[in-house]
Each structure stands twice: as structure tokens, then as C-alpha cells.
Amino acid sequence: MMSTADTVAFDVVDGIAWVRFNRPEKRNCMSPTLNRRMMEVLDELEFREDVGVLVLSGEGTAWSAGMDLKEYFRETEEKGLGATRQAQRESYGWWRRLRWYQKPTIAMVNGWCFGGGYGPLYSCDLAIAAEEAKFGLSEINWGILPGGGATKVVVDLIPMRDAMYHAMTGEAIDGKKAAEWRLVNEAVPLAQLKDRVTEIAKVLLEKNPVALKATKDAVRRVKEMTYDNAEDFLVRAQEAANSFDNNGRKEGIRQFIDEKSYKPGLGAYKR
Ligand code: ACO
């Protein structure tokens, strides 16, 4: 199934939803229209049985050149505070939705990734970049601070000195450097990007989906907790997960202990 007549394109193939920013002629910068459409697409895909993993990438040479300076900033500001706040809600809204998405998510960064693009980049559970991709907090270059969460993203993901340098100089870095700084998990040559992402998606597709959702949320939640709060949260989170998946983990134990058909240290049980 294919839908390209819009600011967002997507197709679902073998359990993977390939979602793409689709304004290549505008380097996939995020306009209010795109942001609204992306929320609809996320809604549509989230609980589909045939979707196990969502990959977010961009059509053309960009992943996303950040917020649309004309439609998101200039034109909404001209309409007043209400329009500005609405545009913020719509963009932050789908990023937040993606951060806590039901399915595991991978950012496949195929090209330019600037400013506001760091929001969805951070929202995706994993991020794999092309070595040729370029990342930048370009806000300083046109006279604003890295807002929309972008400052928080770099401080959360990369060391303080690098975050400060990145934010203050506005210099772009390539995919290799982004991997070195841990802004992304890894970088591979663009020609291999889709294959590598598919490989990772397939690994995720083999896992228990209830456990995956519980795990990804846990990693994000515990980051800001004390050890004791995290310990307590994790006990409760697992017990809550059990109510959605009564037999999964018991089957995982059975196949290892009784059947001896796999080793959890080396791979997933058969679902
Ligand atoms: N907002 C609005 N329009 C944009 C944006 C953007 N963020 N990025 C690109 N475009 C438009 C250009 O204006 C141009 O439009 P036109 O064809 O109508 O003239 C078209 O997309 C193509 O852009 P080019 O600059 O010609 O593409 P090129 O491949 O040479 O350069 C690059 C790509 C480096 C990404 C450049 O477009 C750029 O610097 N974009 C802005 C990046 C940026 O700083 N984004 C804002 C971050 S801050 C924030 O998001 C809060």
C-alpha cells in the first residue's frame, strides 16, 4: 500500500512501516500541514496488526531541514500568539506521540537533519544515519536558541562540551561524527542504510511486542528517577506488562529450561 500524495508518505512491507517526510523540494522542513498529517499517519499505523516497527526517513536528500521558516515561523507568527501556540502543539504533539509510541521506532537519517528535526530524531527509539548525512543546530545561524526541545535533546544525548559547541557554533557534523557523539546509534554509508535499518527492524520484529513497549518506555522513564524509584517502577511496569501478555515470558522460560531450544543470552524465543 502506498500513499504519496501528501506531505507524509508511507508504506507497510513485511511488518515494517516506512514513514517518510515527503517535501523533498523543501528539504522536508516541517510545516503545520506536515505536522498535522504526521499525527494522522502515526494514529493510523500505531495499532495496526501488520505493523511491528516504524521507520522514519525522508524523501530526497533530506531527513528534515527542521521547522519551515516560512510556514511554521513567519506565517504563524503573523497570525498571532494563538496560531503560534497551535503550531507548537501540533509539532511537539506528534514528537511526543512518537516518543511513547506503541511500536518500536527507528530514525533512518538519510540526509540533512537540522534544528527542529532533533525533536523527532530524539523521539525515535533508535537512530541510524548515513555517514553522508549532516546534522546541525542551525538556530544560532539565523538568530534564535535551539528551541522545540532541541537543546534538551543534545544535552540528554551528547556530552556537555560537545552539546555546547554544537549549539553555539551552529556547525554541521556528518553522520560519522553524530555516531561518535552518540546522537545516533551508528552511521553506515548511504548505500547500505536501508539494508542496515531493515536488519535491525527484523531483530525487533522477533521480540515479544509487549516486552518491547515496556522496555522502551522503561529506558526513557528511569532516566530521571532515583535508583529506588526506578526499581519500584520497573517491578510495577513488568507486572502491568504481564496482564497484557500472560504467557510470553513463561513460554520464554519453558523453551530455554525445558525444551532447550534457544538461549536467551543469544537470541529470542519462538513466539
Ligand atoms: N524552512 C523553509 N524552507 C526551507 C527550509 C526550512 N527550514 N529548508 C529548506 N527550505 C527550502 C528553501 O527555501 C528552498 O526553497 P525554494 O526552492 O522555494 O527556494 C528549498 O527548500 C530547497 O532548499 P535549498 O536551500 O535550495 O537546498 P540545498 O540542498 O541547497 O540546501 C539545506 C539544503 C542546507 C538544508 C538548506 O536548505 C538550509 O540551510 N535549510 C535551512 C536549515 C535550517 O536551518 N533549518 C531550521 C533549523 S532551526 C529550527 O528548526 C527551529
Side-chain angles (χ1 to χ4, degrees), residues 182-207:
R182 314 309 297 139
L183 194 54
V184 297
N185 291 89
E186 61 182 78
V188 297
L190 179 61
Q192 291 161 29
L193 183 62
K194 192 166 183 190
D195 284 350
R196 177 61 185 136
V197 168
T198 303
E199 193 176 83
I200 296 168
K202 283 186 177 160
V203 170
L204 298 174
L205 285 170
E206 286 176 3
K207 311 295 183 197

Side-chain angles (χ1 to χ4, degrees), residues 3 16 18 20 35 37 47 67 106 123 131 148 165 218 237 245:
S3 150
I16 307 171
W18 299 92
R20 298 178 296 280
N35 290 328
R37 180 64 190 141
F47 292 99
M67 308 320 290
I106 306 173
S123 295
E131 289 174 354
Y165 186 92
D245 177 46

Side-chain angles (χ1 to χ4, degrees), residues 23-27 29-30 61-62 65-73 112 114-117 136-139 142 144-147:
R23 300 178 74 207
E25 73 290 353
K26 296 287 179 188
R27 304 301 177 263
C29 65
M30 291 175 271
T61 56
M67 308 320 290
D68 187 320
L69 267 52
K70 179 168 168 285
E71 292 185 38
Y72 178 87
F73 284 108
W112 306 112
F114 287 106
L137 286 182
S138 52
E139 285 89 340
W142 62 279
I144 69 164
L145 61 74

